[in-house]
Amino acid sequence: MRIFRGLDEPDLKRTERVLAVGAFDGVHRGHQRLLAHVCRTAADYGVESSIMALEPIPAQVFRSGGSRNVRLTLADERERELTKYCVDSAIVIDFNERFRNLSALEFARDVLVGRLGVVALIASKTHTFGRRAEADVRRIAELGMDLGFEVHVLPPILVGGVQINSTQIRRLIGEGDVVGARDRLGRFFDLAGEVVHGHGIGKGIGFPTANLRPTPEKLVPGDGVYACAARVEAPGTNPGPWLPAAVNVGATPTVDASRRTLEAHLLDVEDLNLDGKSVRLVFLRRLRDIRKFGDVQALAAQIGRDVELVRDEYQRAHDELWD
C-alpha cells in the first residue's frame, strides 16, 4: 500500500479510483468490510483502490473531553493495520479547519472528482461529509449523479443487534470489556507505553513491574487487573518475543491511591532492565476490579493468584497471531 500524506504530494496522480473516506480509527470489522468492498469494486472496474484517512481523527477535534485517551489506533498503528488489507493507496489528509470547512459540493467536485478522479465512493449508511456534516448518503448520491461518480452504501455489521462503530468500541474498552471490543475489532486491542521509573514496590514483594506511559491520545482500558500478552520494543531493533503479563490499570490503593498508573508484570522475566524501551500490551481479558488489601503480603498473595489466571488466558490465546 502506497501512503500519500496530503493532496499536494506530487506523486499522487489523478487517476480513476474507487475510494472510501473516514477516520478508520481501530480498523475494525466494519472498516474491514468497507476495505474489501473497495477492492472488489476497483478490481471489477479495473481502477485503483484507495482510502482517504483523516488525521487527526474527528473524535480528537470535536470530542468535548479533548483529544486525550480517545484513539483506538495511533496514526502509525492505523497504518500498520491498513497495510494488512488490499487497498492500493491511502491518502492521509490533514483534518484542519480549512478542510473541515469545505462544503459537501466543494469536497465532492474539487477533491473527489477534480483531484482524485473518483469513479465510485464506498460508504456506510451513516456516512456524512462536508462542513458540519451537511451531506448524508442521500445527498452524497445526488452529488455523485451530478458529478459522475457512483455511491455504494453498505449495510451495517451488527453485534447483538448494534452496529459496529469506533465510538461503541471505545466505550467497551473504557468499561474494561476488552473481549467485547475484540469481537468488534476482529483482533485484540493493544497499546504501547514508554517505560518510566516507578517506586519499585512490586519488585520488593516479588513481582517487579514496568511502569508504562502511553501516548496521551491513546485510549487506555478502564481500571482493573488484566491478563495481557506483552513484548519489549526499542527503536531500531526487532521486538522481543510475546510473554504473558499481569497488568494493573488505575490506582494501587494498598500502596498509593493518589495516582492512576499502568503497570505490567512480565511473567518469567528475571532481568527487567527496560531503560529507553517501551512495552506493547495486548489485552486478553479483564480479570478483576482493583481493591485495597490489608497489607502488602495479602496483595502479593492475590497477585500470585492473578498470575496463574494470566497463564491460563495467555495459553488459550496462544494461537492468535500477534504481528
Tab-separated table of all heavy atoms in Angstrom, residues 54-56 61-62 93-102:
chain	number	residue	atom	x	y	z
A	54	LEU	N	-8.424	10.457	7.714
A	54	LEU	CA	-8.341	11.783	8.316
A	54	LEU	C	-7.382	11.774	9.510
A	54	LEU	O	-7.396	10.857	10.330
A	54	LEU	CB	-9.729	12.231	8.770
A	54	LEU	CG	-10.825	12.175	7.696
A	54	LEU	CD1	-12.163	12.584	8.286
A	54	LEU	CD2	-10.465	13.053	6.504
A	55	GLU	N	-6.559	12.819	9.616
A	55	GLU	CA	-5.583	12.926	10.700
A	55	GLU	C	-5.437	14.397	11.107
A	55	GLU	O	-5.064	15.227	10.283
A	55	GLU	CB	-4.231	12.367	10.239
A	55	GLU	CG	-3.162	12.301	11.295
A	55	GLU	CD	-3.528	11.399	12.473
A	55	GLU	OE1	-4.169	10.349	12.255
A	55	GLU	OE2	-3.179	11.769	13.606
A	56	PRO	N	-5.750	14.742	12.380
A	56	PRO	CA	-6.222	13.858	13.441
A	56	PRO	C	-7.639	13.371	13.147
A	56	PRO	O	-8.327	13.924	12.290
A	56	PRO	CB	-6.183	14.750	14.682
A	56	PRO	CG	-6.370	16.133	14.155
A	56	PRO	CD	-5.659	16.154	12.828
A	61	VAL	N	-10.914	16.097	17.425
A	61	VAL	CA	-11.217	17.502	17.150
A	61	VAL	C	-12.504	17.946	17.825
A	61	VAL	O	-12.579	19.026	18.415
A	61	VAL	CB	-11.316	17.730	15.630
A	61	VAL	CG1	-11.710	19.166	15.317
A	61	VAL	CG2	-9.992	17.380	14.949
A	62	PHE	N	-13.524	17.090	17.774
A	62	PHE	CA	-14.856	17.502	18.202
A	62	PHE	C	-15.257	16.990	19.581
A	62	PHE	O	-16.275	17.423	20.115
A	62	PHE	CB	-15.896	17.036	17.174
A	62	PHE	CG	-15.679	17.601	15.804
A	62	PHE	CD1	-15.492	16.779	14.706
A	62	PHE	CD2	-15.661	18.974	15.607
A	62	PHE	CE1	-15.299	17.297	13.440
A	62	PHE	CE2	-15.467	19.510	14.345
A	62	PHE	CZ	-15.279	18.672	13.259
A	93	ILE	N	-5.106	12.773	5.080
A	93	ILE	CA	-5.496	14.177	4.938
A	93	ILE	C	-5.342	14.896	6.270
A	93	ILE	O	-5.756	14.397	7.324
A	93	ILE	CB	-6.966	14.274	4.478
A	93	ILE	CG1	-7.125	13.707	3.064
A	93	ILE	CG2	-7.459	15.717	4.519
A	93	ILE	CD1	-6.423	14.488	1.995
A	94	ASP	N	-4.762	16.097	6.220
A	94	ASP	CA	-4.704	16.958	7.396
A	94	ASP	C	-6.117	17.487	7.658
A	94	ASP	O	-6.619	18.329	6.905
A	94	ASP	CB	-3.727	18.104	7.144
A	94	ASP	CG	-3.565	19.009	8.367
A	94	ASP	OD1	-4.187	18.731	9.414
A	94	ASP	OD2	-2.806	20.001	8.265
A	95	PHE	N	-6.730	16.970	8.727
A	95	PHE	CA	-8.114	17.340	9.029
A	95	PHE	C	-8.116	18.676	9.782
A	95	PHE	O	-8.489	18.778	10.947
A	95	PHE	CB	-8.758	16.224	9.847
A	95	PHE	CG	-10.255	16.343	9.996
A	95	PHE	CD1	-11.085	16.426	8.902
A	95	PHE	CD2	-10.832	16.350	11.262
A	95	PHE	CE1	-12.456	16.534	9.035
A	95	PHE	CE2	-12.204	16.442	11.421
A	95	PHE	CZ	-13.016	16.542	10.310
A	96	ASN	N	-7.683	19.708	9.056
A	96	ASN	CA	-7.559	21.028	9.661
A	96	ASN	C	-8.827	21.856	9.421
A	96	ASN	O	-9.786	21.394	8.796
A	96	ASN	CB	-6.324	21.755	9.110
A	96	ASN	CG	-6.329	21.843	7.590
A	96	ASN	OD1	-7.387	21.828	6.958
A	96	ASN	ND2	-5.143	21.935	6.989
A	97	GLU	N	-8.813	23.087	9.905
A	97	GLU	CA	-10.023	23.914	9.825
A	97	GLU	C	-10.406	24.195	8.377
A	97	GLU	O	-11.599	24.189	8.032
A	97	GLU	CB	-9.805	25.225	10.581
A	97	GLU	CG	-11.058	26.090	10.664
A	97	GLU	CD	-10.877	27.306	11.552
A	97	GLU	OE1	-9.759	27.487	12.070
A	97	GLU	OE2	-11.856	28.062	11.714
A	98	ARG	N	-9.421	24.418	7.528
A	98	ARG	CA	-9.720	24.690	6.118
A	98	ARG	C	-10.418	23.494	5.480
A	98	ARG	O	-11.428	23.659	4.775
A	98	ARG	CB	-8.440	25.017	5.361
A	98	ARG	CG	-8.638	25.253	3.872
A	98	ARG	CD	-7.324	25.644	3.198
A	98	ARG	NE	-7.479	25.734	1.753
A	98	ARG	CZ	-7.407	24.703	0.921
A	98	ARG	NH1	-7.173	23.476	1.401
A	98	ARG	NH2	-7.563	24.870	-0.376
A	99	PHE	N	-9.895	22.298	5.724
A	99	PHE	CA	-10.511	21.108	5.150
A	99	PHE	C	-11.902	20.880	5.739
A	99	PHE	O	-12.843	20.541	5.006
A	99	PHE	CB	-9.615	19.894	5.410
A	99	PHE	CG	-10.099	18.632	4.752
A	99	PHE	CD1	-9.763	18.339	3.435
A	99	PHE	CD2	-10.904	17.731	5.445
A	99	PHE	CE1	-10.214	17.190	2.822
A	99	PHE	CE2	-11.362	16.577	4.837
A	99	PHE	CZ	-11.020	16.306	3.523
A	100	ARG	N	-12.043	21.082	7.047
A	100	ARG	CA	-13.341	20.857	7.702
A	100	ARG	C	-14.409	21.805	7.191
A	100	ARG	O	-15.602	21.507	7.272
A	100	ARG	CB	-13.203	21.007	9.226
A	100	ARG	CG	-12.294	19.989	9.881
A	100	ARG	CD	-12.501	19.953	11.388
A	100	ARG	NE	-12.233	21.210	12.050
A	100	ARG	CZ	-11.057	21.587	12.532
A	100	ARG	NH1	-10.000	20.776	12.368
A	100	ARG	NH2	-10.892	22.728	13.157
A	101	ASN	N	-13.988	22.964	6.670
A	101	ASN	CA	-14.956	23.972	6.223
A	101	ASN	C	-15.289	23.889	4.738
A	101	ASN	O	-16.032	24.738	4.221
A	101	ASN	CB	-14.454	25.378	6.567
A	101	ASN	CG	-14.677	25.697	8.031
A	101	ASN	OD1	-15.716	25.350	8.595
A	101	ASN	ND2	-13.706	26.323	8.671
A	102	LEU	N	-14.756	22.875	4.042
A	102	LEU	CA	-15.196	22.660	2.664
A	102	LEU	C	-16.671	22.261	2.664
A	102	LEU	O	-17.107	21.441	3.477
A	102	LEU	CB	-14.375	21.540	2.016
A	102	LEU	CG	-12.910	21.819	1.707
A	102	LEU	CD1	-12.238	20.536	1.210
A	102	LEU	CD2	-12.767	22.933	0.670
